[in-house]
Protein backbone atom coordinates (compact mmCIF):
# COMPACT_ATOMS: atom_id res chain seq x y z
CA UNK A 1 0.00 0.00 0.00
CA UNK A 2 1.41 3.43 -0.88
CA UNK A 3 2.04 5.93 1.93
CA UNK A 4 -0.57 8.48 2.83
CA UNK A 5 0.59 12.03 2.12
CA UNK A 6 -0.51 15.32 3.70
CA UNK A 7 0.87 18.51 2.13
CA UNK A 8 1.35 21.64 4.22
CA UNK A 9 1.96 25.04 2.62
CA UNK A 10 3.74 27.61 4.77
CA UNK A 11 5.25 24.64 6.63
CA UNK A 12 7.84 26.69 8.52
CA UNK A 13 5.16 28.78 10.28
CA UNK A 14 4.32 28.50 13.97
CA UNK A 15 1.05 26.60 13.63
CA UNK A 16 2.32 24.40 10.78
CA UNK A 17 5.35 23.32 12.83
CA UNK A 18 3.06 22.14 15.64
CA UNK A 19 0.77 20.32 13.18
CA UNK A 20 3.76 18.50 11.64
CA UNK A 21 5.03 17.47 15.09
CA UNK A 22 1.68 15.92 16.02
CA UNK A 23 1.36 14.09 12.71
CA UNK A 24 4.90 12.68 12.97
CA UNK A 25 4.38 11.53 16.56
CA UNK A 26 0.96 9.98 16.02
CA UNK A 27 0.65 8.98 12.37
CA UNK A 28 3.83 7.23 11.22
CA UNK A 29 1.95 6.03 8.12
CA UNK A 30 1.54 9.64 6.94
CA UNK A 31 4.30 11.36 4.98
CA UNK A 32 4.44 15.16 5.11
CA UNK A 33 5.12 17.19 2.01
CA UNK A 34 6.16 20.54 3.43
CA UNK A 35 5.95 23.50 1.08
CA UNK A 36 7.96 26.62 1.94
CA UNK A 37 9.25 29.60 0.03
CA UNK A 38 12.38 29.46 2.23
CA UNK A 39 13.09 25.81 3.11
CA UNK A 40 16.03 26.80 5.34
CA UNK A 41 13.47 28.28 7.78
CA UNK A 42 11.85 24.88 8.42
CA UNK A 43 12.60 23.49 11.90
CA UNK A 44 15.73 21.33 11.38
CA UNK A 45 14.41 18.40 13.44
CA UNK A 46 11.32 18.23 11.23
CA UNK A 47 13.21 18.81 8.00
CA UNK A 48 15.51 15.87 8.83
CA UNK A 49 12.68 13.45 9.62
CA UNK A 50 12.48 10.57 7.12
CA UNK A 51 8.72 11.18 6.97
CA UNK A 52 9.12 14.79 5.83
CA UNK A 53 10.02 16.01 2.36
CA UNK A 54 10.41 19.72 1.78
CA UNK A 55 9.48 21.43 -1.49
CA UNK A 56 10.55 24.96 -2.28
CA UNK A 57 7.74 26.97 -3.86
CA UNK A 58 6.60 30.57 -3.88
CA UNK A 59 2.87 31.17 -3.52
CA UNK A 60 2.56 32.03 -7.23
CA UNK A 61 4.62 29.18 -8.69
CA UNK A 62 1.97 26.65 -9.70
CA UNK A 63 4.35 24.04 -11.10
CA UNK A 64 6.51 24.09 -7.94
CA UNK A 65 3.39 23.94 -5.75
CA UNK A 66 2.13 20.96 -7.76
CA UNK A 67 5.36 19.07 -7.06
CA UNK A 68 4.67 19.39 -3.33
CA UNK A 69 1.00 18.49 -3.68
CA UNK A 70 1.53 15.41 -5.86
CA UNK A 71 -0.06 12.32 -4.29
CA UNK A 72 -1.45 14.19 -1.26
CA UNK A 73 -4.88 13.24 0.10
CA UNK A 74 -5.19 16.55 1.95
CA UNK A 75 -3.50 19.94 1.83
CA UNK A 76 -3.29 22.34 4.75
CA UNK A 77 -2.71 26.01 4.00
CA UNK A 78 -0.83 27.70 6.84
CA UNK A 79 -0.07 30.94 5.06
CA UNK A 80 -0.27 34.14 7.06
CA UNK A 81 0.43 37.33 5.17
CA UNK A 82 -1.19 40.21 3.36
CA UNK A 83 -4.64 40.02 1.76
CA UNK A 84 -3.09 39.35 -1.67
CA UNK A 85 -1.42 36.17 -0.31
CA UNK A 86 -4.46 35.10 1.69
CA UNK A 87 -6.82 35.50 -1.29
CA UNK A 88 -4.90 35.14 -4.57
CA UNK A 89 -2.16 32.97 -3.02
CA UNK A 90 -4.77 30.59 -1.62
CA UNK A 91 -6.68 30.50 -4.92
CA UNK A 92 -3.47 29.51 -6.70
CA UNK A 93 -2.89 26.78 -4.12
CA UNK A 94 -6.49 25.52 -4.37
CA UNK A 95 -6.25 25.39 -8.17
CA UNK A 96 -2.97 23.46 -7.87
CA UNK A 97 -4.67 21.05 -5.42
CA UNK A 98 -7.46 20.49 -7.93
CA UNK A 99 -4.91 19.88 -10.71
CA UNK A 100 -3.25 17.26 -8.48
CA UNK A 101 -6.59 15.74 -7.40
CA UNK A 102 -6.05 16.49 -3.71
CA UNK A 103 -9.34 15.47 -2.07
CA UNK A 104 -9.47 18.01 0.79
CA UNK A 105 -8.21 21.56 1.27
CA UNK A 106 -7.86 22.89 4.83
CA UNK A 107 -8.14 26.65 4.46
CA UNK A 108 -5.93 29.15 6.26
CA UNK A 109 -8.61 30.17 8.79
CA UNK A 110 -8.18 29.28 12.50
CA UNK A 111 -10.59 32.04 13.33
CA UNK A 112 -13.88 32.91 15.00
CA UNK A 113 -16.89 32.17 12.83
CA UNK A 114 -16.34 34.79 10.13
CA UNK A 115 -19.46 33.66 8.27
CA UNK A 116 -21.29 36.22 10.42
CA UNK A 117 -19.25 39.09 8.92
CA UNK A 118 -19.93 41.22 5.85
CA UNK A 119 -17.03 42.20 3.59
CA UNK A 120 -15.30 45.21 5.17
CA UNK A 121 -16.44 44.44 8.75
CA UNK A 122 -12.97 43.13 9.61
CA UNK A 123 -10.30 43.96 7.04
CA UNK A 124 -8.15 40.87 7.55
CA UNK A 125 -11.13 38.49 7.46
CA UNK A 126 -12.19 39.50 3.94
CA UNK A 127 -9.85 36.90 2.36
CA UNK A 128 -11.50 34.13 4.42
CA UNK A 129 -14.93 35.18 3.11
CA UNK A 130 -13.60 35.18 -0.47
CA UNK A 131 -11.87 31.80 -0.07
CA UNK A 132 -14.94 30.21 1.51
CA UNK A 133 -16.98 31.37 -1.52
CA UNK A 134 -14.27 30.17 -3.95
CA UNK A 135 -14.19 26.73 -2.31
CA UNK A 136 -18.01 26.50 -2.28
CA UNK A 137 -17.94 27.11 -6.02
CA UNK A 138 -15.31 24.38 -6.55
CA UNK A 139 -17.22 21.98 -4.29
CA UNK A 140 -20.36 22.40 -6.38
CA UNK A 141 -18.51 20.89 -9.31
CA UNK A 142 -17.05 18.20 -6.97
CA UNK A 143 -13.48 19.31 -7.61
CA UNK A 144 -12.35 19.41 -3.97
CA UNK A 145 -13.81 19.31 -0.46
CA UNK A 146 -13.24 22.29 1.81
CA UNK A 147 -12.31 22.10 5.47
CA UNK A 148 -12.35 25.13 7.77
CA UNK A 149 -10.99 24.98 11.30
CA UNK A 150 -12.49 27.51 13.70
CA UNK A 151 -10.86 28.07 17.08
CA UNK A 152 -11.88 31.57 18.16
CA UNK A 153 -8.56 33.29 18.79
CA UNK A 154 -5.28 31.85 19.93
CA UNK A 155 -4.71 32.30 23.67
CA UNK A 156 -1.08 33.20 22.93
CA UNK A 157 -2.40 36.12 20.87
CA UNK A 158 -5.14 37.37 23.20
CA UNK A 159 -2.93 37.17 26.29
CA UNK A 160 0.32 38.01 24.54
CA UNK A 161 2.29 40.63 22.66
CA UNK A 162 -0.29 40.95 19.89
CA UNK A 163 -2.81 42.44 22.34
CA UNK A 164 -1.48 45.84 23.51
CA UNK A 165 -4.25 46.04 26.13
CA UNK A 166 -3.07 42.98 28.07
CA UNK A 167 -0.03 44.29 29.95
CA UNK A 168 1.13 41.83 32.61
CA UNK A 169 4.48 43.58 33.04
CA UNK A 170 2.65 46.75 34.10
CA UNK A 171 0.06 44.58 35.93
CA UNK A 172 -2.74 46.19 33.89
CA UNK A 173 -5.49 44.70 31.72
CA UNK A 174 -7.46 47.22 29.66
CA UNK A 175 -10.80 46.37 28.12
CA UNK A 176 -13.83 47.87 26.42
CA UNK A 177 -17.47 47.26 27.26
CA UNK A 178 -18.36 45.79 30.64
CA UNK A 179 -15.42 43.40 30.89
CA UNK A 180 -17.96 40.57 31.09
CA UNK A 181 -18.14 39.89 27.34
CA UNK A 182 -16.95 36.30 26.77
CA UNK A 183 -14.15 35.66 24.29
CA UNK A 184 -13.53 32.27 22.66
CA UNK A 185 -9.94 31.02 22.65
CA UNK A 186 -7.82 27.95 22.00
CA UNK A 187 -4.06 27.52 22.39
CA UNK A 188 -1.91 27.25 19.29
CA UNK A 189 -0.85 23.73 20.20
CA UNK A 190 -4.39 22.50 20.90
CA UNK A 191 -5.62 23.98 17.60
CA UNK A 192 -2.66 22.31 15.87
CA UNK A 193 -3.47 18.91 17.40
CA UNK A 194 -7.12 19.29 16.38
CA UNK A 195 -6.06 20.26 12.84
CA UNK A 196 -3.64 17.32 12.58
CA UNK A 197 -6.46 14.96 13.61
CA UNK A 198 -8.68 16.51 10.96
CA UNK A 199 -5.94 16.19 8.35
CA UNK A 200 -5.57 12.50 9.17
CA UNK A 201 -9.35 11.90 9.06
CA UNK A 202 -10.65 11.65 5.48
CA UNK A 203 -14.23 12.05 6.73
CA UNK A 204 -13.56 15.48 8.26
CA UNK A 205 -15.02 18.11 5.95
CA UNK A 206 -16.81 21.45 6.23
CA UNK A 207 -16.60 23.83 9.20
CA UNK A 208 -15.11 22.17 12.28
CA UNK A 209 -14.54 23.99 15.49
CA UNK A 210 -12.52 23.52 18.63
CA UNK A 211 -14.88 24.92 21.21
CA UNK A 212 -15.94 22.43 23.91
CA UNK A 213 -13.36 20.10 22.39
CA UNK A 214 -10.37 22.27 23.10
CA UNK A 215 -10.98 25.86 23.88
CA UNK A 216 -12.38 28.18 26.47
CA UNK A 217 -14.83 31.06 26.61
CA UNK A 218 -13.84 33.73 29.13
CA UNK A 219 -14.37 37.45 29.65
CA UNK A 220 -11.59 39.94 30.39
CA UNK A 221 -12.59 39.88 34.07
CA UNK A 222 -12.49 36.07 34.17
CA UNK A 223 -9.10 36.04 32.41
CA UNK A 224 -7.80 38.46 35.08
CA UNK A 225 -9.16 36.18 37.84
CA UNK A 226 -7.48 33.13 36.28
CA UNK A 227 -4.25 35.13 35.98
CA UNK A 228 -4.39 36.04 39.66
CA UNK A 229 -5.05 32.43 40.73
CA UNK A 230 -2.10 31.12 38.73
CA UNK A 231 0.53 33.86 39.16
CA UNK A 232 -0.66 35.14 42.57
CA UNK A 233 -0.55 38.68 41.30
CA UNK A 234 -3.43 41.03 40.54
CA UNK A 235 -4.00 42.66 37.16
CA UNK A 236 -5.56 46.10 37.50
CA UNK A 237 -8.61 46.19 35.23
CA UNK A 238 -9.05 49.44 33.35
CA UNK A 239 -12.09 50.20 31.18
CA UNK A 240 -11.23 52.20 28.03
CA UNK A 241 -14.84 52.85 26.98
CA UNK A 242 -17.93 51.19 25.58
CA UNK A 243 -18.03 48.72 22.70
CA UNK A 244 -19.31 51.60 20.55
CA UNK A 245 -16.22 53.62 21.54
CA UNK A 246 -14.05 50.67 20.48
CA UNK A 247 -15.86 50.46 17.15
CA UNK A 248 -15.35 54.19 16.48
CA UNK A 249 -11.67 54.02 17.45
CA UNK A 250 -10.84 50.96 15.36
CA UNK A 251 -12.68 52.30 12.31
CA UNK A 252 -11.03 55.73 12.55
CA UNK A 253 -7.57 54.18 13.03
CA UNK A 254 -8.07 51.85 10.07
CA UNK A 255 -9.17 54.76 7.88
CA UNK A 256 -6.11 56.80 8.91
CA UNK A 257 -3.48 54.05 8.51
CA UNK A 258 -4.92 51.09 6.59
CA UNK A 259 -1.39 50.02 5.64
CA UNK A 260 -0.32 49.72 9.30
CA UNK A 261 -2.39 46.75 10.55
CA UNK A 262 -0.62 46.52 13.89
CA UNK A 263 -2.25 49.84 14.84
CA UNK A 264 -5.83 48.54 14.39
CA UNK A 265 -5.91 44.77 14.02
CA UNK A 266 -6.09 43.93 17.75
CA UNK A 267 -9.03 46.30 18.19
CA UNK A 268 -10.92 44.61 15.31
CA UNK A 269 -10.28 41.20 16.85
CA UNK A 270 -11.42 42.30 20.30
CA UNK A 271 -14.54 44.00 18.95
CA UNK A 272 -15.68 40.98 16.98
CA UNK A 273 -14.66 38.46 19.65
CA UNK A 274 -16.64 40.34 22.28
CA UNK A 275 -19.69 40.97 20.10
CA UNK A 276 -21.00 37.45 20.74
CA UNK A 277 -22.22 37.29 17.13
CA UNK A 278 -19.39 35.11 15.84
CA UNK A 279 -19.35 32.43 18.49
CA UNK A 280 -18.63 28.91 17.46
CA UNK A 281 -21.44 26.39 17.44
CA UNK A 282 -20.34 23.47 19.63
CA UNK A 283 -20.94 20.79 17.04
CA UNK A 284 -17.98 18.54 17.54
CA UNK A 285 -17.93 17.60 21.18
CA UNK A 286 -17.34 13.92 20.59
CA UNK A 287 -14.94 14.22 17.70
CA UNK A 288 -11.37 13.10 18.51
CA UNK A 289 -11.92 12.24 22.20
CA UNK A 290 -8.17 11.69 22.58
CA UNK A 291 -7.63 15.44 22.20
CA UNK A 292 -7.63 16.95 25.67
CA UNK A 293 -9.10 20.39 26.35
CA UNK A 294 -7.06 23.22 27.83
CA UNK A 295 -8.71 26.28 29.34
CA UNK A 296 -7.24 29.70 30.10
CA UNK A 297 -6.11 28.68 33.58
CA UNK A 298 -4.33 25.57 32.29
CA UNK A 299 -2.72 27.72 29.61
CA UNK A 300 -1.39 30.16 32.24
CA UNK A 301 -0.14 27.21 34.31
CA UNK A 302 1.83 25.98 31.31
CA UNK A 303 3.79 29.23 31.00
CA UNK A 304 5.88 31.50 33.15
CA UNK A 305 4.46 35.00 33.63
CA UNK A 306 7.49 36.47 31.87
CA UNK A 307 7.05 34.28 28.79
CA UNK A 308 3.56 35.69 28.09
CA UNK A 309 5.22 38.60 26.30
CA UNK A 310 6.37 36.18 23.61
CA UNK A 311 4.24 34.20 21.17
CA UNK A 312 6.53 31.19 21.67
N1 LIG B 1 -7.32 33.39 15.49
C1 LIG B 1 -6.14 33.89 15.83
O1 LIG B 1 -5.98 34.45 16.92
C2 LIG B 1 -4.98 33.76 14.90
C3 LIG B 1 -3.79 34.39 15.22
C4 LIG B 1 -2.66 34.18 14.42
C5 LIG B 1 -2.77 33.38 13.29
N2 LIG B 1 -3.96 32.81 12.98
C6 LIG B 1 -4.10 31.94 11.80
O2 LIG B 1 -3.22 30.83 11.92
C7 LIG B 1 -2.67 30.50 10.65
C8 LIG B 1 -1.16 30.37 10.70
O3 LIG B 1 -0.61 31.43 11.43
P1 LIG B 1 0.87 31.36 12.05
O4 LIG B 1 0.88 32.22 13.27
O5 LIG B 1 1.33 29.96 12.14
O6 LIG B 1 1.69 32.12 10.92
P2 LIG B 1 3.27 32.31 10.77
O7 LIG B 1 4.02 31.62 11.85
O8 LIG B 1 3.50 33.77 10.56
O9 LIG B 1 3.57 31.55 9.39
C9 LIG B 1 3.06 32.05 8.20
C10 LIG B 1 3.56 31.24 7.02
O10 LIG B 1 3.13 31.92 5.82
C11 LIG B 1 4.27 32.06 4.97
N3 LIG B 1 4.19 33.24 4.13
C12 LIG B 1 4.03 34.52 4.52
N4 LIG B 1 4.04 35.34 3.44
C13 LIG B 1 4.21 34.52 2.35
C14 LIG B 1 4.28 34.75 0.94
N5 LIG B 1 4.15 35.99 0.43
N6 LIG B 1 4.44 33.69 0.13
C15 LIG B 1 4.54 32.43 0.64
N7 LIG B 1 4.47 32.15 1.96
C16 LIG B 1 4.30 33.19 2.80
C17 LIG B 1 5.44 32.18 5.93
O11 LIG B 1 6.64 31.95 5.25
P3 LIG B 1 7.93 32.89 5.55
O12 LIG B 1 8.40 32.47 6.91
O13 LIG B 1 8.87 32.59 4.45
O14 LIG B 1 7.43 34.31 5.55
C18 LIG B 1 5.08 31.09 6.94
O15 LIG B 1 5.42 29.84 6.44
C19 LIG B 1 -3.20 31.55 9.66
O16 LIG B 1 -4.34 31.01 9.05
C20 LIG B 1 -3.66 32.68 10.56
O17 LIG B 1 -4.77 33.39 10.02
C21 LIG B 1 -5.07 32.97 13.77
Amino acid sequence: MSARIVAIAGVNGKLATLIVKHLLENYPEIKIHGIARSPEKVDAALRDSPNVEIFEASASNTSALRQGLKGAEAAICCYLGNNELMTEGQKTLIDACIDEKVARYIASDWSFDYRGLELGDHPTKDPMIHINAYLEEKEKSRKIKAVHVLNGSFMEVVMGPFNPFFQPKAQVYQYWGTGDEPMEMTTYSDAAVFTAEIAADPSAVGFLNTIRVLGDRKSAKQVAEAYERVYEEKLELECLGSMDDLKSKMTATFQQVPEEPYKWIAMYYLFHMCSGKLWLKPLHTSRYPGVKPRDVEAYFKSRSKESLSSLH
Side-chain angles (χ1 to χ4, degrees):
M1 202 171 89
S2 56
R4 297 176 64 191
I5 297 171
V6 169
I8 305 183
V11 73
N12 61 295
K14 184 168 162 49
L15 183 70
T17 301
L18 295 166
I19 295 171
V20 174
K21 279 186 182 150
H22 186 79
L23 285 172
L24 290 177
E25 281 163 16
N26 295 278
Y27 293 93
E29 74 278 20
I30 293 181
K31 303 250 179 257
I32 313 289
H33 281 190
I35 301 171
R37 61 176 173 172
S38 308
E40 71 284 357
K41 287 193 193 169
V42 180
D43 183 300
L46 303 185
R47 207 174 48 210
D48 295 343
S49 161
N51 267 9
V52 174
E53 191 174 349
I54 299 296
F55 296 79
E56 181 172 346
S58 76
S60 57
N61 187 339
T62 297
S63 59
L65 291 169
R66 284 186 65 172
Q67 288 302 313
L69 295 166
K70 212 170 273 307
E73 61 183 55
I76 311 176
C77 180
C78 288
Y79 290 158
L80 177 56
N82 62 25
N83 283 11
E84 170 73 15
L85 174 73
M86 302 310 281
T87 307
E88 299 313 317
Q90 281 206 80
K91 285 183 183 174
T92 302
L93 186 61
I94 293 165
D95 291 347
C97 284
I98 291 169
D99 289 343
E100 289 299 330
K101 302 195 168 26
V102 176
R104 290 181 304 139
Y105 178 85
I106 302 178
S108 199
D109 289 347
W110 295 282
S111 170
F112 43 62
D113 196 341
Y114 56 86
R115 288 172 294 177
L117 294 174
E118 300 291 334
L119 285 171
D121 281 350
H122 186 313
T124 62
K125 296 292 168 193
D126 286 355
M128 294 180 193
I129 297 173
H130 289 306
I131 290 303
N132 181 28
Y134 193 72
L135 283 165
E136 277 180 354
E137 212 36 56
K138 301 292 175 193
E139 280 196 285
K140 272 187 207 148
S141 43
R142 296 177 190 278
K143 292 193 162 135
I144 198 158
K145 286 188 174 154
V147 186
H148 303 269
V149 182
L150 300 179
N151 62 283
S153 289
F154 288 133
M155 290 186 195
E156 288 86 340
V157 168
V158 179
M159 281 97 70
F162 175 85
N163 179 358
F165 310 108
F166 180 79
Q167 303 166 13
K169 276 191 186 147
Q171 298 179 21
V172 171
Y173 189 4
Q174 300 170 316
Y175 64 91
W176 275 271
T178 62
D180 294 314
E181 294 81 0
M183 303 176 285
E184 294 187 328
M185 298 172 262
T186 306
T187 66
Y188 255 100
S189 58
D190 290 340
V193 167
F194 188 62
T195 306
E197 292 295 328
I198 287 168
D201 172 4
S203 74
V205 292
F207 279 82
L208 299 154
N209 74 57
T210 61
I211 288 298
R212 294 243 189 113
V213 181
L214 297 170
D216 199 357
R217 188 184 269 172
K218 283 223 170 16
S219 69
K221 287 179 183 169
Q222 289 169 322
V223 167
E225 284 163 13
Y227 181 94
E228 190 179 343
R229 278 195 298 276
V230 174
Y231 299 117
E232 297 178 344
E233 180 178 283
K234 228 177 164 45
L235 288 179
E236 192 185 321
L237 284 159
E238 187 186 327
C239 180
L240 295 176
S242 67
M243 294 305 289
D244 283 345
D245 294 334
L246 173 59
K247 188 173 187 187
S248 305
K249 189 170 166 64
M250 74 192 196
T251 310
T253 311
F254 174 67
Q255 282 163 357
Q256 276 161 16
V257 284
E259 72 292 347
E260 293 179 56
Y262 285 94
K263 293 207 167 140
W264 43 260
I265 196 167
M267 289 191 280
Y268 274 89
Y269 266 93
L270 288 171
F271 178 77
H272 288 293
M273 280 176 79
C274 292
S275 75
K277 291 184 188 152
L278 307 173
W279 278 356
L280 308 181
K281 317 280 178 299
L283 297 175
H284 305 290
T285 49
S286 59
R287 201 162 194 136
Y288 317 126
V291 179
K292 301 290 177 217
R294 215 160 12 146
D295 62 11
V296 166
E297 195 154 331
Y299 167 67
F300 281 147
K301 282 182 181 155
S302 73
R303 301 190 63 139
S304 73
K305 193 173 58 181
E306 294 68 33
S307 76
L308 293 175
S309 59
S310 153
L311 261 189
H312 298 274

